[in-house]
Amino acid sequence: MSTPENVQIRLNQRPTGHPDENTWKVVTEPAPSPGEGEMLLRNIYLSIDPAMRGWLNDAKSYIPPVGIGEVMRALSLSQVEASNHPGFEVGDYVTGTQGVQLYALSDGEGLRKVDPGLGPLPRYLSVLGMTGMTAYFGLLEVGQPKEGETVLVSGAAGAVGGVVGQIAKIKGCRAVGICGGQEKSRFVVEELGFDAAIDYKTEDLKRAIKSNCPDGVDVYFDNVGGETLDAALACLAQGARIPICGAISQYNATDGIKGPANYLSLLVNRARMQGFVVFDYAASYGKAAAEMAGWIAQGKLKSKEHLVEGIERFPEALGMLFRGENLGKLVLKVGEE
Amino acid sequence: MSTPENVQIRLNQRPTGHPDENTWKVVTEPAPSPGEGEMLLRNIYLSIDPAMRGWLNDAKSYIPPVGIGEVMRALSLSQVEASNHPGFEVGDYVTGTQGVQLYALSDGEGLRKVDPGLGPLPRYLSVLGMTGMTAYFGLLEVGQPKEGETVLVSGAAGAVGGVVGQIAKIKGCRAVGICGGQEKSRFVVEELGFDAAIDYKTEDLKRAIKSNCPDGVDVYFDNVGGETLDAALACLAQGARIPICGAISQYNATDGIKGPANYLSLLVNRARMQGFVVFDYAASYGKAAAEMAGWIAQGKLKSKEHLVEGIERFPEALGMLFRGENLGKLVLKVGEE
């Protein structure tokens, strides 16, 4: 086998606000050769996630930031191209965190083999991957919805939000989604089965939440922060739970993050707002994935991936995410299956 | 008995920002006569509480606002002056919500008899009253401190904060208080037994919290909101709990409440922020009061009341509270014991 060429997107400079042309550096070099106990992985799909923005900041967080000059971190679905590792064979499909590059070395740490027969491969980066796990544990463990309650979710046409609403329905809740634009609203209600959608671009958020959640919001699953979080806080039911999954509206803010001015609604309504990191539930991923695969098989849970093709389009794909241009889980295809 | 004169402080006009001379109206009229099943109560002590500011706003909350022209709501310790009620005799001492006035009619609803032999009467408006209950349930039920953890509390020289820190110590935690000024800092450490105090008027809050809570803040009991809440959020330990008891720094804000810009620290630290209303724990008040009375008897819990005398000084006393001029529980004495 001749040595293939590896294309990598590396962090060139930390962005202030939105990433721009100075943020990234494209490096082309020969793919590395696996040493003893190692293997060479060929990346096929990369997960484009809001969390990526946080990884660019030089700040204490749940994992260290990506270093200047390092390959950008990304969750990945890859195929084993060459293996000196006893546990993996050439041709195996694996998920991991191989970064924005065409090839990566691995010693097997953090890899999970996937069965390509169970469904389309990109699904392992969406419903059956970290996205699905985030929705599953954030809603069920942190949000603790009970049958008959109202679950409101922002970023409802996005990767996590769409799964949250569908699981809420499976659990017998009323699911209301907030998203941007008519196409997304239609998608959320007609394709994903939400009870209602609110278009934050054209509707008065607070009024729309009140009319679509007449008994108040029991669980607000927040992906966006900002004005939307404030509007949801103004509409809580007694004892409401707010899983804080993310704040995509705030990640590129250059003048500081906007805190939720209505947070005292937590007091009046005996409510709680709780952050979580999906990695904490790693021990239960298998059980969750099996349950979700079952729901998919029964037609109760739909998985929607939004594919963008070409590693050079990584900066563009990340921009789409923050401009809300994706419908479903945004996945970058960087190699053939 | 000749009819005594009743002096009442009534709400004249809702304030914008701090209450002023137009907020209140003093009304003098003959004390009412109790009808069948009623009694006349003579108020002795009135509780001056931050929550009073919220009761002046025409907004949905956990109880209705005080109406224009109505006697200002206040928790009270009173003596039965005349009784047509089979359950109460002349001379009985009771706590209730008799408002800012010298005399009140009652049918017994919401009254609790107290034993004047168990301690000074004002204590029933502080440690053994709603203040103590708020500290007890907010810390133990919402904050859930574990032995060896660090409990940070704002308004530490105030009524609730001082009790929170002492209960934290009783439970084997490190107690750190935030308060304003040297006198309060000294009081909190030397008289109440906190491990450390931070003077927000002279210290850099974030730096001071970090140095006094080297392992991070496990429980932050928030009485004040604003910059202090943000500083505490920046210093959380993993899995931290933030009981939201109040936000005295924000109650008189005229340009909107400042939301906690650092709320995403909840996510990174898998932490939660939770509101509570002490009335929800009413069924357990008796048990809590008994336990706290025991701690007082053992010298583990100190009760400090700050008395102001004269019903006409109610507006002044309320102002003192918001300017942070009280040390311990602020109580207005309006009658002789």
Side-chain angles (χ1 to χ4, degrees):
Chain A
M1 186 182 89
S2 69
T3 301
E5 192 171 67
N6 192 13
V7 179
Q8 304 177 318
I9 309 276
R10 292 172 175 256
L11 179 60
N12 181 52
Q13 177 183 300
R14 299 199 184 281
T16 305
H18 284 276
D20 61 19
E21 67 275 17
N22 297 315
T23 306
W24 312 110
K25 180 169 60 175
V26 180
V27 173
T28 301
E29 59 180 31
S33 293
E36 190 56 36
E38 288 186 333
M39 59 194 134
L40 181 67
L41 301 178
R42 181 179 64 84
N43 292 335
I44 303 175
Y45 295 106
L46 302 178
S47 179
I48 307 296
D49 296 298
M52 286 176 153
R53 183 61 188 84
W55 301 341
L56 301 179
N57 294 335
D58 192 14
K60 186 192 155 212
S61 189
Y62 57 98
I63 42 173
V66 176
I68 301 289
E70 288 180 7
V71 173
M72 177 58 191
R73 182 183 294 140
L75 301 180
S76 52
L77 186 133
S78 322
Q79 191 170 30
V80 177
E81 187 83 0
S83 179
N84 297 325
H85 189 295
F88 295 86
E89 288 178 24
V90 171
D92 283 352
Y93 290 96
V94 294
T95 57
T97 309
Q98 303 309 325
V100 186
Q101 55 184 342
L102 297 185
Y103 293 92
L105 282 185
S106 170
D107 60 3
E109 171 91 25
L111 288 193
R112 191 162 64 100
K113 276 194 227 184
V114 303
D115 179 350
L118 286 183
L121 289 174
R123 190 172 287 170
Y124 287 101
L125 295 180
S126 61
V127 174
L128 298 179
M130 219 49 77
T131 296
M133 297 300 138
T134 300
Y136 183 96
F137 292 105
L139 179 64
L140 299 180
E141 296 291 322
V142 184
Q144 301 188 350
K146 288 176 262 309
E147 194 178 333
E149 287 191 331
T150 297
V151 174
L152 177 71
V153 55
S154 55
V160 172
V163 178
V164 166
Q166 293 182 82
I167 298 179
K169 289 300 296 176
I170 289 168
K171 295 294 180 181
C173 298
R174 174 174 175 79
V176 177
I178 301 173
C179 53
Q182 282 201 324
E183 186 195 358
K184 289 185 181 176
S185 297
R186 195 203 54 74
F187 167 70
V188 155
V189 173
E190 294 180 16
E191 294 198 33
L192 301 185
F194 281 55
D195 294 287
I198 295 168
D199 177 3
Y200 73 84
K201 292 186 176 174
T202 59
E203 298 185 62
D204 176 295
L205 262 178
K206 203 168 134 183
R207 196 175 311 156
I209 296 172
K210 278 193 195 296
S211 76
N212 282 292
C213 307
D215 299 326
V217 174
D218 296 294
V219 178
Y220 170 56
F221 191 104
D222 191 29
N223 289 304
V224 306
E227 308 287 346
T228 310
L229 173 55
D230 257 334
L233 278 165
C235 305
L236 297 183
Q238 292 287 318
R241 290 82 66 199
I242 304 182
I244 298 290
C245 180
I248 198 169
S249 74
Q250 304 294 304
Y251 289 165
N252 292 295
T254 51
D255 54 352
I257 283 185
K258 187 196 166 318
N262 289 335
Y263 83 102
L264 287 174
S265 171
L266 296 177
L267 193 163
V268 176
N269 294 301
R270 299 86 160 151
R272 72 166 185 261
M273 189 151 93
Q274 185 167 351
F276 69 100
V277 173
V278 67
F279 306 143
D280 295 346
Y281 301 94
S284 307
Y285 284 172
K287 188 179 148 287
E291 188 165 19
M292 293 211 282
W295 290 333
I296 291 174
Q298 296 162 37
K300 293 179 179 171
L301 178 59
K302 288 180 186 162
S303 183
K304 170 92 174 177
E305 292 85 30
H306 185 143
L307 287 190
V308 173
E309 196 160 348
I311 192 167
E312 73 285 357
R313 292 179 68 192
F314 167 72
E316 179 192 337
L318 193 61
M320 288 174 64
L321 192 69
F322 287 106
R323 288 190 301 272
E325 294 172 7
N326 57 306
L327 206 58
K329 170 67 190 166
L330 195 56
V331 172
L332 188 69
K333 182 174 184 186
V334 300
E336 294 306 313
E337 288 199 4
Chain B
M1 186 182 89
S2 68
T3 303
E5 192 170 67
N6 191 15
V7 178
Q8 304 176 318
I9 309 277
R10 292 171 175 257
L11 179 59
N12 180 52
Q13 176 183 300
R14 298 199 184 283
T16 305
H18 284 277
D20 62 19
E21 65 275 18
N22 297 316
T23 306
W24 312 109
K25 180 169 59 176
V26 181
V27 173
T28 301
E29 59 180 30
S33 293
E36 189 55 38
E38 289 186 333
M39 60 194 132
L40 181 67
L41 301 178
R42 182 177 64 85
N43 291 336
I44 303 175
Y45 295 106
L46 301 177
S47 179
I48 306 297
D49 295 299
M52 287 176 152
R53 183 61 188 84
W55 301 341
L56 301 179
N57 293 336
D58 193 13
K60 186 193 154 209
S61 189
Y62 58 97
I63 41 172
V66 175
I68 301 289
E70 288 179 8
V71 173
M72 177 59 190
R73 182 184 293 141
L75 301 180
S76 52
L77 186 134
S78 321
Q79 190 170 29
V80 177
E81 187 83 359
S83 179
N84 297 325
H85 189 295
F88 295 87
E89 287 178 24
V90 170
D92 282 352
Y93 289 97
V94 294
T95 59
T97 310
Q98 303 309 324
V100 186
Q101 55 184 341
L102 297 186
Y103 292 92
L105 282 186
S106 169
D107 61 3
E109 172 91 24
L111 289 193
R112 192 163 64 100
K113 276 193 225 185
V114 304
D115 179 351
L118 286 183
L121 288 175
R123 190 172 287 170
Y124 287 101
L125 295 180
S126 62
V127 175
L128 298 180
M130 219 48 79
T131 297
M133 297 300 137
T134 300
Y136 184 95
F137 292 105
L139 178 64
L140 299 180
E141 296 291 322
V142 184
Q144 302 188 348
K146 288 177 263 308
E147 194 176 335
E149 287 191 332
T150 297
V151 174
L152 177 70
V153 55
S154 55
V160 171
V163 178
V164 166
Q166 294 182 83
I167 298 179
K169 289 301 295 175
I170 289 168
K171 296 294 179 180
C173 298
R174 174 173 175 79
V176 177
I178 301 173
C179 52
Q182 282 201 326
E183 187 195 358
K184 289 185 181 176
S185 296
R186 194 203 55 73
F187 167 70
V188 155
V189 173
E190 295 181 15
E191 293 198 35
L192 301 185
F194 282 54
D195 294 287
I198 295 168
D199 176 3
Y200 73 84
K201 292 187 176 174
T202 59
E203 298 185 62
D204 177 294
L205 261 179
K206 203 168 133 182
R207 194 175 313 155
I209 295 172
K210 277 193 195 297
S211 78
N212 282 293
C213 308
D215 299 327
V217 174
D218 297 293
V219 178
Y220 170 55
F221 190 105
D222 190 30
N223 289 304
V224 307
E227 308 287 345
T228 310
L229 173 54
D230 258 334
L233 278 165
C235 305
L236 298 183
Q238 292 287 319
R241 290 82 66 199
I242 305 182
I244 298 290
C245 180
I248 198 169
S249 76
Q250 304 294 305
Y251 289 166
N252 292 295
T254 51
D255 54 352
I257 283 186
K258 187 195 166 314
N262 290 334
Y263 83 102
L264 288 173
S265 172
L266 297 177
L267 193 164
V268 175
N269 293 301
R270 298 89 160 152
R272 71 167 185 261
M273 188 151 93
Q274 185 168 349
F276 69 98
V277 173
V278 68
F279 306 144
D280 295 345
Y281 301 94
S284 307
Y285 284 172
K287 187 180 149 288
E291 187 165 18
M292 294 212 282
W295 290 334
I296 292 175
Q298 296 162 37
K300 292 179 179 173
L301 178 59
K302 288 181 185 161
S303 182
K304 169 93 173 177
E305 292 85 31
H306 186 144
L307 287 189
V308 173
E309 196 161 346
I311 192 167
E312 73 285 356
R313 292 179 68 194
F314 167 71
E316 178 192 339
L318 194 61
M320 288 174 64
L321 193 68
F322 288 105
R323 288 190 302 272
E325 294 172 6
N326 57 306
L327 206 57
K329 171 66 190 168
L330 196 56
V331 172
L332 188 68
K333 183 174 183 186
V334 299
E336 295 307 312
E337 288 197 5

